[in-house]
Amino acid sequence: MKLRMGMLHQVLLAAMVVFIGCVAYAPTARAEVKLQELLKKAKYVGTDTCATCHDKEFKAYKLSTHARINIKDDTTGAEGCETCHGPGSIHADAGGGKGVGIINPKKNPDTCFACHTDKKIQFRLPYHHPVLEGKMSCTDCHDAHGMDVRPWTATSEKGVNEACFKCHTDKRGPFTFPHDAMKEGCTTCHQVHGSVNDKMLLARDVSLCLKCHAFRNFADGHNDDFARAGACWAAGCHQQIHGSNFYPRYTY
Amino acid sequence: MKSFRLLLSIILAVYMTGMGCLVNAQEANTSAINVTIAPVQYASVNGDVGKFRALNWMKDGGDAGISDITFLKQINKDTTLEAQGSAFLKTDNNKGYMLLKKGDLAFLKIDYNAYRKYFDGTGGVYPNEIISGAGHTDYGKIPSQYQGAKPNSPDLQMDVSFFKLEAGLGPVSDPFFDVAYEHNSKDGNKSLLQWAPLYPSIGATPQTNSASYKKIAPAWASINNYTDTITLKEKKDFAGITFKADQHVEVDYNHSKTYMQYLNFPNTVGTTYQNQLNTVDDSPNAKLFGSGVRAEKWMLNDKTFTALGYHFSHINATDVMQRMAYSSTSLGGVLTARPTSSSSSGLSHSKSS
């Protein structure tokens, strides 16, 4: 009897959750479906039409890495801007407007993931930036229209880590004793989209450091025991690993 | 910091309420409006709650709010008001965006985003390294005897927020004059990977016998970090060349207090424990001033592009650090403080490219 009542409760709870879920997500689905239905009627108008209003993006786009893959799809006629933003006739006829009859990849990263499938997989790893959770978007770090699509390429006058330092200001320094790995970029140690390791590290133990410091029996007495004992940045050792203002070995 | 966040939340709530009123008011008009309400949102976790929160960026339990509201209003012939937002006040997960523009003449933009990041309480503990027979049931979490030394709630969570106010002359996508104020903040407690050592027996000294311990005891930090930035941008076309100039001033304030507990776990219950809690109080602050000029030209029917730019930035940074060690001779005993070192540093750094 007890078991039956328990099952009944579980079924009722499940039904309630499903019902509430439907109520909660119906408007979202409706808005998405509405846009998708709307876009089915839209036609591709070509990049030149987009350029009449979005001159800045158009010119910047021509310098970007994305422009190099500007291959026209003969079946649909999609090319350039409309490859990512969808057919633009409804948007153009309406006189423009934010999100009016047009896909906005800033709100939905699926557009980016259509090509960058590896990044979607990385965002599914346990430790990741919250893009799939909607708290960040790809455009927070990447300028899809700009020449510097990858923030750490040498095409910007700004530093290689500028995209990271926008939020992680405490890691910028300058430090009296900077860690040289920072000059190579944060990606030397961090897998920035997602990782199986906490803090999105490439490795969780000394093997991360040994990528560069790959020699045994350090001159100052390091030996295999240290490697077995844990990570180099732990336990009062090289804790200030991004850089130190006080000690050249980053211990504090 | 908390009062600033509260103020922004109140502004957002008033703004959302206003939007709600506008929803009713505008039903008869042609303004575009979309509202998505999440009346109940519930996550039930059977397992490690801390892990769930950390990996999914959300709290378990229930919440309710507005998951999306979009509003577009044509105020008069040239002036439009666009707004977007979402609000889940219980989990402090709020977004707001507003754009008021008068054709291609001028615009005012407000952007706000706040969310909470969760950390599991293990502080980097290897899950498989549970010491049996040590009499610790809360191993892998912050031990209760040290929670008094922790200034905030025992939950490891950090509030992250971003606020931007921008005004410009010209089209929104390409203004010829633009001024913006940005405020970024992080406030809360986070776990660290700077794990403290766990001594397998009393008397083992990590500095002399490194192989005899594992660096797996929890570590965490209390963080208060905010950045204020003012940016000015200007653009002018002259003789077929586009000249651009920008200046920005940034003030970074950081304060972190790191807690690392050193624990002895003897093999038999009842043996005297020797505990140590090390703290590092660090306040690196920086003021940054940057300027950039750039000249761009498109040639040959927009087929060729050439640009020349110069960027100069100057950072003035200071850092004050105090390291303390607290120790006792028994588990839960009185921790006696002794400063290990106190240091300060000032550094000025310029970079041009």
Side-chain angles (χ1 to χ4, degrees):
Chain A
M1 190 63 191
K2 231 178 187 179
L3 188 67
R4 275 190 188 170
M5 283 302 288
M7 276 181 69
L8 183 67
H9 281 151
Q10 284 189 3
V11 169
L12 282 174
L13 187 68
M16 195 174 79
V17 167
V18 169
F19 171 73
I20 289 167
C22 292
V23 171
Y25 289 102
T28 313
R30 197 181 61 191
E32 186 66 26
V33 168
K34 266 173 78 177
L35 180 62
Q36 294 299 331
E37 285 298 316
L38 198 65
L39 289 178
K40 276 182 187 171
K41 297 172 194 162
K43 290 179 179 160
Y44 291 96
V45 292
T47 305
D48 290 340
T49 306
C50 309
T52 47
C53 295
H54 302 282
D55 185 50
K56 181 192 170 192
E57 283 82 3
F58 176 66
K59 284 188 169 172
Y61 169 74
K62 287 206 286 190
L63 303 168
S64 76
T65 312
H66 280 142
R68 295 181 203 160
I69 51 163
N70 187 17
I71 302 164
K72 190 171 182 176
D73 183 345
D74 289 332
T75 51
T76 61
E79 66 167 336
C81 314
E82 292 172 307
T83 311
C84 299
H85 292 283
S89 65
I90 292 173
H91 177 73
D93 292 344
K98 196 177 175 74
V100 178
I102 200 83
I103 294 170
N104 182 4
K106 190 177 181 180
K107 288 191 81 178
N108 187 351
D110 283 347
T111 305
C112 308
F113 293 150
C115 295
H116 303 283
T117 49
D118 58 325
K119 301 298 179 289
K120 185 175 185 178
I121 293 163
Q122 286 174 15
F123 282 122
R124 294 251 184 242
L125 294 174
Y127 299 94
H128 55 267
H129 276 118
V131 171
L132 295 178
E133 287 79 3
K135 300 180 198 306
M136 284 180 75
S137 81
C138 303
T139 55
D140 285 339
C141 301
H142 300 277
D143 182 7
H145 301 126
M147 66 176 96
D148 197 21
V149 177
R150 289 182 67 202
W152 39 88
T153 52
T155 54
S156 170
E157 296 133 22
K158 294 177 179 173
V160 289
N161 297 323
E162 207 59 38
C164 310
F165 292 155
K166 253 170 62 180
C167 296
H168 304 280
T169 51
D170 53 323
K171 305 292 185 297
R172 179 169 57 197
F175 298 108
T176 311
F177 304 104
H179 189 186
D180 283 347
M182 295 279 282
K183 294 179 189 167
E184 298 290 323
C186 303
T187 50
T188 309
C189 300
H190 297 276
Q191 202 164 352
V192 292
H193 296 103
S195 166
V196 293
N197 303 305
D198 203 354
K199 313 298 179 197
M200 291 187 280
L201 288 172
L202 291 173
R204 63 185 291 172
D205 52 20
V206 287
S207 54
L208 179 64
C209 308
L210 293 174
K211 267 176 62 185
C212 299
H213 305 279
F215 44 88
R216 294 181 63 198
N217 299 326
F218 297 82
D220 59 353
H222 288 72
N223 54 39
D224 288 354
D225 288 345
F226 281 86
R228 280 198 295 272
C232 304
W233 55 83
C237 294
H238 308 287
Q239 292 181 93
Q240 301 292 325
I241 202 61
H242 295 100
S244 169
N245 285 321
F246 307 109
Y247 193 62
R249 292 177 186 173
Y250 320 120
T251 49
Y252 55 88
Chain B
M1 247 334 67
K2 282 194 187 300
S3 56
F4 184 77
R5 290 178 62 82
L6 185 67
L7 180 68
L8 285 177
S9 296
I10 290 168
I11 290 169
L12 188 74
V14 170
Y15 163 72
M16 299 300 283
T17 309
M19 293 298 297
C21 296
L22 285 169
V23 170
N24 295 326
Q26 294 302 320
E27 274 178 355
N29 296 338
T30 53
S31 299
I33 235 170
N34 274 309
V35 185
T36 306
I37 298 168
V40 178
Q41 186 174 285
Y42 191 83
S44 171
V45 182
N46 182 15
D48 191 334
V49 173
K51 213 72 171 169
F52 170 83
R53 290 179 180 180
L55 302 188
N56 293 285
W57 293 74
M58 65 182 287
K59 200 172 185 178
D60 57 308
D63 198 2
I66 297 168
S67 61
D68 187 50
I69 182 166
T70 312
F71 172 71
L72 178 64
K73 165 78 177 164
Q74 188 83 32
I75 294 172
N76 57 39
K77 191 183 169 190
D78 292 331
T79 312
T80 54
L81 174 68
E82 292 175 31
Q84 289 179 341
S86 65
F88 288 88
L89 294 176
K90 193 177 169 190
T91 49
D92 202 9
N93 193 353
N94 305 311
K95 273 184 190 176
Y97 171 84
M98 192 204 77
L99 172 66
L100 179 68
K101 68 171 178 176
K102 189 171 175 60
D104 285 344
L105 192 68
F107 66 88
L108 177 72
K109 200 157 60 171
I110 297 172
D111 205 352
Y112 174 64
N113 187 12
Y115 57 87
R116 190 165 289 161
K117 179 169 167 51
Y118 299 93
F119 302 86
D120 62 10
T122 58
V125 169
Y126 287 108
N128 295 331
E129 293 286 345
I130 295 170
I131 307 295
S132 59
H136 270 255
T137 53
D138 61 348
Y139 184 76
K141 297 175 184 173
I142 300 165
S144 55
Q145 71 269 24
Y146 291 130
Q147 285 180 7
K150 207 164 159 294
N152 297 319
S153 102
D155 286 339
L156 289 180
Q157 58 189 35
M158 191 162 66
D159 289 324
V160 182
S161 71
F162 164 82
F163 172 79
K164 186 175 183 180
L165 175 68
E166 187 179 356
L169 299 174
V172 180
S173 62
D174 193 18
F176 60 85
F177 179 77
D178 186 274
V179 57
Y181 165 73
E182 258 184 63
H183 179 87
N184 286 280
S185 81
K186 288 180 187 173
D187 190 8
N189 303 310
K190 65 182 283 189
S191 69
L192 298 174
L193 293 186
Q194 281 93 337
W195 312 322
L198 183 145
Y199 298 73
S201 60
I202 293 171
T205 311
Q207 304 305 324
T208 58
N209 188 7
S210 60
S212 65
Y213 69 100
K214 285 270 185 191
K215 298 162 182 168
I216 51 177
W220 67 94
S222 165
I223 305 272
N224 184 9
N225 170 351
Y226 65 82
T227 304
D228 289 305
T229 311
I230 296 173
T231 311
L232 275 170
K233 287 181 186 169
E234 205 170 351
K235 192 190 84 164
K236 180 84 179 164
D237 289 327
F238 182 72
I241 302 172
T242 305
F243 293 94
K244 290 178 180 175
D246 67 87
Q247 282 197 320
H248 81 274
V249 180
E250 186 177 317
V251 179
D252 297 335
Y253 170 81
N254 293 287
H255 177 243
S256 68
K257 189 160 188 178
T258 304
Y259 298 83
M260 293 174 61
Q261 53 179 104
Y262 290 50
L263 298 174
N264 267 336
F265 282 89
N267 290 326
T268 53
V269 180
T271 313
T272 307
Y273 292 84
Q274 186 177 20
N275 300 294
Q276 184 172 314
L277 175 68
N278 280 14
T279 63
V280 180
D281 208 320
D282 194 13
S283 300
N285 298 315
K287 287 177 187 155
L288 185 146
F289 177 77
S291 300
V293 286
R294 191 178 172 92
E296 297 175 356
K297 185 169 174 61
W298 284 86
M299 292 173 291
L300 301 174
N301 201 20
D302 282 356
K303 292 283 188 294
T304 309
F305 172 78
T306 181
L308 180 68
Y310 175 75
H311 187 261
F312 173 82
S313 65
H314 179 83
I315 302 177
N316 190 0
T318 58
D319 193 357
V320 179
M321 180 187 278
Q322 187 179 47
R323 303 165 76 210
M324 298 283 285
Y326 302 81
S327 60
S328 74
T329 53
S330 61
L331 184 66
V334 177
L335 294 170
T336 310
R338 58 184 174 87
T340 54
S341 73
S342 183
S343 321
S344 65
S345 159
L347 188 65
S348 189
H349 176 80
S350 297
K351 190 180 80 169
S352 61
S353 57

